Amino acid sequence: MHFSRPCSSGSRFRAAWWALLASLVLAWGALPVQAGTPPAFSSTFIQIWDRHADWPEQTWDALCADLAEMGVREIILQWTLVTEPAFFWRLTPERRMDVPHDRVDPAPAVDLIVDTARRHGLSVRFGLTEDRAWWEKIKNEAGLVEVFLNRLLQDQLSLARTLVERYGKDPVFAGFYIPQEIDDATWIDPERLNRLTKHLARLTDGLRELSPEAEVTVSCFATGHNDPAGFAALMADLAQSGNITEVLYQDGLGTERLLHAESAAYLEALAASIPRTGARLRVIVETFAPTEDGLGFIPAPMERIEQQLLQAQTLAGNDIVAFSIPDYLHPLAGNTLAEVLYTDYVTYLGISGLKQE
């Protein structure tokens, strides 16, 4: 998940959608609060940064123990390697000869995460290569976008080959996550969309050659450049043509790209379209909020997260993803607000006594 995408300053929806939003707001206010266990996170993203290279096994173990106690069953590694520029294509010819079968190794922290996740009964969905040039390159004309995607594809499959060799037979292996998020603005252009459609199909075909039963997950977010029905149709087409197993919808309430009712309108449209393709739909609840100066993000208040969880449960079911517990909802985030949110969340769950390493 990237936070550099600007919010839309113009009209967010075509006029026809305002009637839908108004009715949705009224319906939302009438929704009953479900009795029993409150909606909660079953998965969380983890972003691997340079600082994680210094985390010992004990730190990962403490985190995974807490996640399991909180009811989390799955870790989604947003990426297992960050490259800038593309890895394979920056190698000299001599160096390429040293990379057996175009093999690319994941970050060292991945082994520790997998080991500790296994001990605590968590599965791991492995993010592929993250190329920081993504948002810049996909703005180019369609031909250049295709060149970039071809290079990215080689990096992704090279890394996936190593991931399958290391973890593919392990019960912890839950499949692949494609880190390149799909927004509602860039791919309105039909020529760019055509390139992306072909790229996803080639990528998923390549992944399933490596691991035939592997699940493949993509994520998406909206900014109001495309209306809910249009964006839902686009994502359904991509899911079907790319044989995608799962689509994750970022609710946009942490970045404030969308208002609450607007986010619900997109989610409702996706919930109607994605299951028809055979793919699952899950919601990513953003657990952060912008700082006052707008230059960063801090943990969100629990009151807002409760509303997000209820919206996700009501429109898409109980399998809800956090972005992200280690960064915003756990003492390991290293700030007081994260400790407060952690305490509020475990109180909300009705559990106590979790470690605060």
Side-chain angles (χ1 to χ4, degrees), residues 26 37 179 218 224 281 287 302-303 307 324 342:
L26 292 174
T37 304
V218 299
L281 175 68
T287 62
M302 187 61 211
E303 181 181 7
Q307 295 176 351
S324 84
Y342 170 82

Side-chain angles (χ1 to χ4, degrees), residues 3-4 12 16 52 59 75 81 110 128 147 155 189 222 224 257 290 298 322 333 335 342:
F3 306 128
S4 58
R12 282 196 163 104
H52 293 124
T59 302
I75 291 170
L81 183 69
V110 174
L128 299 175
V147 171
D155 274 5
D189 176 75
R257 294 185 181 109
I298 56 176
N335 63 72
Y342 170 82

Side-chain angles (χ1 to χ4, degrees), residues 6 28 71 93 101 121 145 148 186 188 229 276 327 337 345:
W28 183 252
H101 308 295
V145 171
F148 170 70
T186 306
I188 292 176
R276 295 174 186 167
D327 289 322
L337 287 176
Y345 184 66

Side-chain angles (χ1 to χ4, degrees), residues 279-324:
R280 296 191 302 272
L281 175 68
R282 288 199 283 170
V283 178
I284 301 172
V285 166
E286 297 177 346
T287 62
F288 51 84
T291 55
E292 289 187 4
D293 60 12
L295 299 177
F297 294 89
I298 56 176
M302 187 61 211
E303 181 181 7
R304 196 202 78 191
I305 292 174
E306 285 188 53
Q307 295 176 351
Q308 293 170 265
L309 286 166
L310 181 59
Q311 174 177 285
Q313 180 193 58
T314 303
L315 296 177
N318 289 315
D319 202 355
I320 304 170
V321 184
F323 191 92
S324 84

Side-chain angles (χ1 to χ4, degrees), residues 197-211:
T197 302
K198 291 179 179 178
H199 168 73
L200 287 177
R202 292 172 61 197
L203 176 57
T204 53
D205 285 347
L207 293 174
R208 294 206 169 97
E209 285 181 13
L210 296 170
S211 181

Side-chain angles (χ1 to χ4, degrees), residues 250-261 263 286 288-290 304 307-308 311:
Q250 301 171 26
D251 69 8
L253 299 175
T255 55
E256 297 186 352
R257 294 185 181 109
L258 300 174
L259 301 176
H260 195 93
S263 177
E286 297 177 346
F288 51 84
R304 196 202 78 191
Q307 295 176 351
Q308 293 170 265
Q311 174 177 285

